[in-house]
Amino acid sequence: MNHDEVTESMDLSDADVVSRVLQGEKNLYAVIVRRYNQRLYRIGMSFLNDEQEVEDAMQVAYIHAYEGLSKFAFRASFSTWLSRILINEILLRKKKKSRNLLFVSENWENKSPYQSYSEMQTPATTMINTELKSILEGAIRNLPEKYRTVFVMREIENMNVEETRECLAISGINVKVRLNRAKAMLRKSLQHYYRNEDILHFHLTHCNRMVEAVLSRVNQF
């Protein structure tokens, strides 16, 4: 797809894109990948502090979604369905990791299950070149997972309560409670100064790489 075709296609609804992909326009699946890369990356990073593993999980999620397109009837939001596929993949990976902990060395067992912010050396962190951004991203990453995921979904990705509830399989009340708790935990360091587009940003070069990787797999079907 050339630049003009990509720009024009991005105006299509999810339903139109899915319909045309199912009719044989496989390359149009790139619209889905570009449209949801940022959301899936942020959700993934709220569960895992490993950029490469998140990108791997995203690729798997996109492929699983592609394989299930014909069964998706838009009875729910496509974005919610896709997000849930990613979360399921991540939870599966976390479950496998927890099993593997039985076989790791004593030195590893004595480490914290979460890397400290200073130990994370990913493009997402190195791009943060101001003191404020460092404080914001570090504070968010250091939240306990159940609060971090809700905060990212609701405050950074602007997902509503219902969509967040469906993705995480928790009650609407729990979504609200966890969000309030996350805000309370962040209040001192955040001081209400954060910009959604600057936090856990999925850079364009990563987006292009994800599109290429997913389409290369899609075109094998």
Side-chain angles (χ1 to χ4, degrees), residues 52-154:
Q52 185 56 58
E53 188 167 7
V54 169
E55 290 194 32
D56 290 345
M58 287 169 64
Q59 286 190 37
V60 171
Y62 281 127
I63 297 305
H64 285 339
Y66 178 82
E67 292 173 326
L69 282 183
S70 61
K71 300 177 182 178
F72 182 68
F74 283 92
R75 286 188 291 269
S77 163
F78 182 83
S79 61
T80 301
W81 179 67
L82 182 59
S83 298
R84 188 64 211 174
I85 291 174
L86 174 71
I87 291 171
N88 286 340
E89 172 63 21
I90 286 174
L91 293 179
L92 179 62
R93 288 166 182 253
K94 287 170 69 69
K95 187 174 183 180
K96 288 180 179 178
K97 275 188 173 182
S98 67
R99 290 173 181 169
N100 291 338
L101 287 177
L102 296 173
F103 305 99
V104 298
S105 68
E106 182 178 353
N107 287 337
W108 176 254
E109 289 175 353
N110 291 332
K111 288 186 178 182
S112 167
Y114 295 103
Q115 289 177 292
S116 69
Y117 180 73
S118 61
E119 292 174 327
M120 297 174 192
Q121 300 298 324
T122 70
T125 57
T126 56
M127 284 191 301
I128 300 173
N129 56 11
T130 68
E131 182 179 358
L132 177 60
K133 290 180 183 178
S134 295
I135 292 172
L136 298 182
E137 188 154 338
I140 291 170
R141 285 177 186 255
N142 288 328
L143 283 173
E145 181 183 297
K146 66 179 182 179
Y147 302 122
R148 184 172 65 240
T149 53
V150 170
F151 183 85
V152 168
M153 289 181 177
R154 293 284 289 117

Side-chain angles (χ1 to χ4, degrees), residues 2 12 28 38 48 70 78 82-83 121 131 165 169 209:
N2 61 41
L12 295 172
L28 203 57
Q38 184 68 79
L48 302 168
S70 61
F78 182 83
L82 182 59
S83 298
Q121 300 298 324
E131 182 179 358
R165 182 195 69 76
R209 185 172 69 238

Side-chain angles (χ1 to χ4, degrees), residues 17-29:
V17 173
V18 169
S19 176
R20 288 173 60 174
V21 169
L22 290 174
Q23 291 172 21
E25 296 183 63
K26 292 183 178 181
N27 285 339
L28 203 57
Y29 195 62

